[in-house]
Each structure stands twice: as C-alpha cells, then as structure tokens.
C-alpha cells in the first residue's frame, strides 16, 4: 500500500524500494491469496520501473506478471508502453492489438492511437482513431490519426481533419499538414511547420 501511494505521489524510486520489501515478505506466502498479492506487487514494480524510464526492467516485470496471470489482457497494454519507451514500435503495436482485443480501458486506446501516429501506421491510425472517436468524439489525437491515415486515399478529407486538430495546436497535426501541402503550397507548409515548433521547439519532424 505504501508503495502504491509513493507511485501516486510521483516518487517511483521510493515506491520501488517499498515494493521490493513487500515482495520479499509476499514470497513466503504460498497460498492463493499470496499469489494474488505477488501479482499486484510485480505489476506495481513494473509501473515504478516505467516511471523511472527503465523500460527494459519494466518489460521484464510485466512479462513476469503475464506468466502469473496469462488471461489478463490489460497487461499487454503495459507491455506495449514499455516497448514504445524502448523505441520498438512494431512490438508496441502488436501488444496494443492484444490489449485492445479485450475490454481495454480508454487510456489504453488513447496510448495505442498515439503509438500508431508515432509509427506512421496508417491502417492502425484509421482503425484505432475511428474507435476512439466513437468513444470520445472530441479527442484531438483521434482526429490526427484519422486525418493522417486518410491523406493517401482521400487527401482533402484528411487535410480537413488535420486542420481541425491543428486549430487545437496538436503538434503532429501541424507536421502532417506541412507534409500534406508541401508540394502544392510550400509557404503554407512552412507556416504549419513553424506552428509545430512554437508548440514543441525541439520537435525533430517539425524541424
């Protein structure tokens, strides 16, 4: 309990220390209840490692939790988050597929959409962006995902969605707009790229 409180207070190092002590005690309890407690501890340890940006350790802990409870599909969302932090987008997208096959929470779907945008995966951008808009019609990231995915086949419709998202200063919307109009209107493309840099001055794609 103290470890989880430390996590909520954004103190992952303290949380990790408390959880390690809890786990040492829980390892001595071989009852079914003890197994449930160990699962909770391992999950929390993974969350603490991820909060400390130790993605490899978090990934290992989440896999350990998955071995303890293979049917818990929500774990795949956590595994996906670790993969994304590592920079392995293909593995992250595959894990989000598994997570979304179950009754995933809305924040998992939002994270999946963000990852599809970062990876430039048009198929998943369209699918997951549509799913997210169904659940939250105002979600700007869903608009970015759908708009980006539609540029190849329906460029005007895609640009229209990106313009809505850009009006809300989404940096990826600005960058996607810049790329979409670059050939036909370089001045507009430059303006969109500069708008992205005003939101995120070090954004590599905008530069």
């Amino acid at each position: 309990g103290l470890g989880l409180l430390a996590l909520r207070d954004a103190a992952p190092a303290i949380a990790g220390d408390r959880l390690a002590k809890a786990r040492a005690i829980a390892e001595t309890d071989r009852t079914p209840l003890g197994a449930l407690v160990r699962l909770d501890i391992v999950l929390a340890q993974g969350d603490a490692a991820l909060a400390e940006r130790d993605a490899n350790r978090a990934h290992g802990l989440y896999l350990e939790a998955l071995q303890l409870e293979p049917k818990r599909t929500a774990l795949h969302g956590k595994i996906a988050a670790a993969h994304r932090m590592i920079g392995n987008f293909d593995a992250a997208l595959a894990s989000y597929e598994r997570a979304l096959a179950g009754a995933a929470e809305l924040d998992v779907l939002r994270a999946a959409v963000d990852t599809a945008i970062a990876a430039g995966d048009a198929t998943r951008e369209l699918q997951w962006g549509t799913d997210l808009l169904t659940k939250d019609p105002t979600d700007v990231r869903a608009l970015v995902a759908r708009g980006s995915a539609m540029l190849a086949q329906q460029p005007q419709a895609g640009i229209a969605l990106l313009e809505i998202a850009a009006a809300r200063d989404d940096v990826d919307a600005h960058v996607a707009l810049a790329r979409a109009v670059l050939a036909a209107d370089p001045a507009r493309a430059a303006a969109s790229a500069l708008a992205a840099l005003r939101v995120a001055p070090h954004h590599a794609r905008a530069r």
Side-chain angles (χ1 to χ4, degrees), residues 91-196:
L93 291 169
S95 290
Y96 277 125
E97 287 274 12
R98 298 185 188 99
L100 296 174
E105 295 182 2
L106 191 58
D107 62 340
V108 175
L109 179 55
R110 288 197 172 105
V113 167
D114 281 338
T115 304
I117 292 170
D121 188 313
T123 300
R124 290 184 172 102
E125 282 179 313
L126 185 61
Q127 177 189 343
W128 294 343
T130 300
D131 292 344
L132 183 50
L133 279 175
T134 300
K135 296 176 182 293
D136 182 0
T138 66
D139 193 285
V140 67
R141 301 298 285 166
L143 293 173
V144 174
R146 275 185 57 82
S148 299
M150 294 171 70
L151 286 175
Q153 302 297 326
Q154 300 173 274
Q156 292 308 311
I159 287 172
L161 289 174
L162 290 171
E163 285 173 339
I164 295 170
R168 293 165 61 182
D169 257 349
D170 183 280
V171 66
D172 289 312
H174 286 308
V175 173
L177 269 177
R179 289 181 168 178
V181 304
L182 180 58
D185 193 343
R188 184 184 176 193
S192 291
L194 288 170

Side-chain angles (χ1 to χ4, degrees), residues 34-123:
L36 290 174
V37 173
R38 284 194 298 279
L39 175 61
D40 287 341
I41 292 171
V42 172
L43 280 173
Q45 285 183 306
D47 292 345
L50 200 66
E52 289 192 277
R53 304 198 67 78
D54 188 346
N56 286 307
R57 182 165 182 269
H59 180 256
L61 288 161
Y62 291 146
L63 287 180
E64 184 180 347
L66 191 63
Q67 289 178 334
L68 294 171
E69 185 55 80
K71 294 181 180 179
R72 189 178 290 197
T73 56
L75 275 170
H76 290 290
K78 293 180 178 291
I79 292 169
H83 277 305
R84 180 174 177 180
M85 188 176 286
I86 293 166
N88 190 345
F89 287 106
D90 288 342
L93 291 169
S95 290
Y96 277 125
E97 287 274 12
R98 298 185 188 99
L100 296 174
E105 295 182 2
L106 191 58
D107 62 340
V108 175
L109 179 55
R110 288 197 172 105
V113 167
D114 281 338
T115 304
I117 292 170
D121 188 313
T123 300

Side-chain angles (χ1 to χ4, degrees), residues 1-12 14-15 18-19 44:
L2 291 172
L4 291 174
L5 283 173
L7 264 181
R8 291 171 192 158
D9 288 339
I14 294 172
R18 290 174 175 173
L19 291 165

